[in-house]
C-alpha cells in the first residue's frame, strides 16, 4: 500500500489557490492514501469570527469536499484533509478533517482537543474519533494536530480498529514528530503526520507562527519511513504494510490491548 503527504504553505484565505496547488501536486502521483495538512484550504491564523465564517464550508456539500472528491476519483485514492467546517444545523464552526475516496464522501472528524486561539474560533469536536474502512478493507483513523498531545486520541483510534492514523497538522511546537514514534509503537499503528511549512502573522495582535514541517510516516515499530525537512514544499509517497498493524501481540505473554489494566486507570475517568 502506498501512502503520501503533501507538505506546503497554504495561502491564508485563498481557498481556490490552495485547492489548485493540491490538485496540481497530486496530479502525477500514484498512491492509495494521501494526507493533507490541517486547515489546508483556508490557512491557520484567523483574526476574526467573520473570517472563520467566510472560510468555513459544509462537510459534505461544500466546494472543498466536492473538489477533493473529484480528485480522489481521478487519482483513485483516499484523501484525508483538514479544513474549517460550518454546521448550519447547530450554527457552529469546527476545525475538521474530511475523508473522501473514489466513490465520494466517506466521513469527517471534528478536532476534539483545540489548541491555543483555536478555542476562540471553533467549537469543541462532538463527533468522536473517526475510523473508516477503505475499499481494500484497510481501516484508517483520523486525529488532528494537538490531539497528539493526548495519548488517549491515538489509543482510542487503535482500539476502534484503525491500522493507519491519518494526522493533518499545523504544528508550531517542536515535539510532535518525535512523540508520534511512541504513539505508533505503543498502539502498533502506522501514523501519517502531514504538516505545513511557512509562517503566518495576520496582524499585530497575533504573534508570528512558524510551522515546523517534517511531515512523516512512521511504522508500527516506531521507525521513521519518511520525513521531510522543516521548510520544503513537497509531495512524498512511501510503501507501508497495513497488515503489520493487525498484530498487537509483542510475545507469548504480552499483548498491547489485552494487558491493559483499566481497573487501575480509574483516575483517568472521573465521574
Ligand atoms: C495545533 O493543534 N494546530 C498545534
Amino acid at each position: 500500500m502506498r501512502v503520501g503527504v503533501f507538505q506546503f504553505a497554504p495561502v491564508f484565505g485563498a481557498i481556490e489557490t490552495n485547492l489548485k496547488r493540491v490538485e496540481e501536486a497530486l496530479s502525477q502521483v500514484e498512491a492509495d492514501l494521501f494526507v493533507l495538512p490541517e486547515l489546508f484550504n483556508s490557512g491557520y491564523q484567523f483574526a476574526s469570527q467573520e473570517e472563520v465564517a467566510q472560510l468555513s464550508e459544509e462537510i459534505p456539500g461544500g466546494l472543498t469536499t466536492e473538489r477533493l472528491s473529484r480528485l480522489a476519483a481521478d487519482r483513485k485514492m483516499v484523501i484525508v484533509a483538514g479544513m474549517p467546517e460550518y454546521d448550519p444545523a447547530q450554527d457552529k464552526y469546527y476545525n475538521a478533517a474530511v475523508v473522501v475516496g473514489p466513490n465520494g464522501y466517506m466521513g469527517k472528524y471534528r478536532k476534539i482537543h483545540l489548541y491555543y486561539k483555536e478555542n476562540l474560533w471553533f467549537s469543541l469536536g462532538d463527533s468522536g474519533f473517526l475510523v473508516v474502512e477503505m475499499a481494500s478493507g484497510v481501516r484508517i483513523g483520523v486525529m488532528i494536530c494537538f490531539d497528539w498531545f493526548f495519548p488517549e486520541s491515538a489509543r482510542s483510534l487503535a482500539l476502534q480498529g484503525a491500522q493507519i492514523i491519518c494526522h493533518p497538522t499545523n504544528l508550531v511546537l517542536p515535539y510532535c514528530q518525535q512523540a508520534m514514534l511512541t504513539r505508533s509503537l505503543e498502539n502498533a499503528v502506522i501514523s501519517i503526520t502531514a504538516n505545513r511549512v511557512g509562517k503566518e502573522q495576520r496582524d499585530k495582535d497575533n504573534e508570528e507562527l512558524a510551522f515546523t514541517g517534517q511531515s512523516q510516516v512512521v511504522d508500527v515499530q516506531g521507525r521513521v519511513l519518511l520525513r521531510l525537512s522543516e521548510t520544503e514544499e513537497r509531495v512524498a509517497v512511501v510503501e507501508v504494510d497495513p497488515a503489520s498493524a493487525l498484530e498487537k501481540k509483542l510475545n507469548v505473554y504480552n499483548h498491547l490491548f489485552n494487558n491493559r489494566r483499566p481497573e487501575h486507570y480509574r483516575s483517568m475517568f472521573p465521574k
Side-chain angles (χ1 to χ4, degrees), residues 2-6 21-36 71-72 74-79 234-238:
R2 285 164 63 81
V3 303
V5 293
F6 178 34
R21 281 217 64 194
V22 167
E23 287 163 347
E24 167 90 19
L26 270 56
S27 66
Q28 302 298 324
V29 290
E30 300 295 329
D32 304 292
L33 171 63
F34 233 91
V35 186
L36 302 177
L71 184 61
D74 276 356
R75 304 306 306 145
K76 299 185 175 52
M77 59 173 63
V78 169
I79 301 173
R234 191 147 87 85
V235 166
V237 174
V238 70

Side-chain angles (χ1 to χ4, degrees), residues 209-263:
L209 298 178
F211 301 98
T212 58
Q214 301 172 85
S215 297
Q216 65 183 18
V217 179
V218 178
D219 78 4
V220 298
Q221 291 173 308
R223 293 178 298 208
V224 177
L225 302 179
L226 170 94
R227 185 180 280 171
L228 300 183
S229 80
E230 288 179 36
T231 53
E232 67 190 318
E233 296 194 292
R234 191 147 87 85
V235 166
V237 174
V238 70
E239 188 82 30
V240 298
D241 173 17
S244 64
L246 297 173
E247 180 58 84
K248 304 301 181 187
K249 215 165 55 217
L250 278 181
N251 56 51
V252 290
Y253 299 104
N254 293 119
H255 187 283
L256 292 180
F257 293 169
N258 299 345
N259 285 170
R260 289 176 308 126
R261 306 280 309 280
E263 67 273 30

Side-chain angles (χ1 to χ4, degrees), residues 3-226:
V3 303
V5 293
F6 178 34
Q7 171 170 295
F8 73 116
V11 179
F12 188 90
I15 290 179
E16 184 60 31
T17 303
N18 296 323
L19 274 171
K20 284 217 172 84
R21 281 217 64 194
V22 167
E23 287 163 347
E24 167 90 19
L26 270 56
S27 66
Q28 302 298 324
V29 290
E30 300 295 329
D32 304 292
L33 171 63
F34 233 91
V35 186
L36 302 177
E38 178 182 15
L39 298 171
F40 90 93
N41 61 340
S42 59
Y44 183 75
Q45 193 179 61
F46 293 95
S48 70
Q49 194 65 49
E50 289 69 43
E51 283 186 348
V52 178
Q54 264 167 25
L55 296 170
S56 297
E57 300 176 14
E58 290 181 50
I59 306 176
L63 171 78
T64 298
T65 306
E66 188 190 309
R67 290 275 285 275
L68 290 178
S69 297
R70 224 179 295 158
L71 184 61
D74 276 356
R75 304 306 306 145
K76 299 185 175 52
M77 59 173 63
V78 169
I79 301 173
V80 180
M83 57 176 286
E85 180 196 7
Y86 176 59
D87 179 350
Q90 297 179 316
D91 194 25
K92 284 185 177 175
Y93 298 92
Y94 293 99
N95 182 342
V98 64
V99 185
V100 295
N103 296 320
Y105 175 70
M106 295 172 72
K108 67 181 164 191
Y109 165 67
R110 293 169 168 169
K111 189 174 184 176
I112 288 176
H113 305 98
L114 295 176
Y115 180 68
Y116 194 45
K117 292 190 183 176
E118 292 169 29
N119 286 284
L120 298 177
W121 315 127
F122 296 112
S123 296
L124 291 170
D126 60 351
S127 55
F129 287 103
L130 175 75
V131 176
V132 295
E133 192 167 311
M134 297 172 58
S136 59
V138 173
R139 290 184 300 276
I140 61 171
V142 184
M143 63 184 205
I144 299 178
C145 206
F146 191 53
D147 283 330
W148 78 267
F149 224 112
F150 303 84
E152 294 87 350
S153 308
R155 180 67 100 197
S156 298
L157 288 169
L159 288 171
Q160 285 173 239
Q163 294 160 266
I164 302 178
I165 292 181
C166 303
H167 185 207
T169 63
N170 275 191
L171 293 161
V172 290
L173 300 177
Y175 317 117
C176 172
Q177 289 87 346
Q178 281 306 106
M180 286 307 292
L181 277 53
T182 305
R183 295 289 98 81
S184 279
L185 175 67
E186 68 199 1
N187 293 295
V189 291
I190 295 156
S191 62
I192 307 171
T193 297
N195 196 16
R196 62 162 288 174
V197 293
K199 295 182 174 164
E200 274 187 1
Q201 181 170 23
R202 300 291 321 297
D203 56 34
K204 61 176 175 24
D205 296 332
N206 284 293
E207 60 270 67
E208 182 181 79
L209 298 178
F211 301 98
T212 58
Q214 301 172 85
S215 297
Q216 65 183 18
V217 179
V218 178
D219 78 4
V220 298
Q221 291 173 308
R223 293 178 298 208
V224 177
L225 302 179
L226 170 94

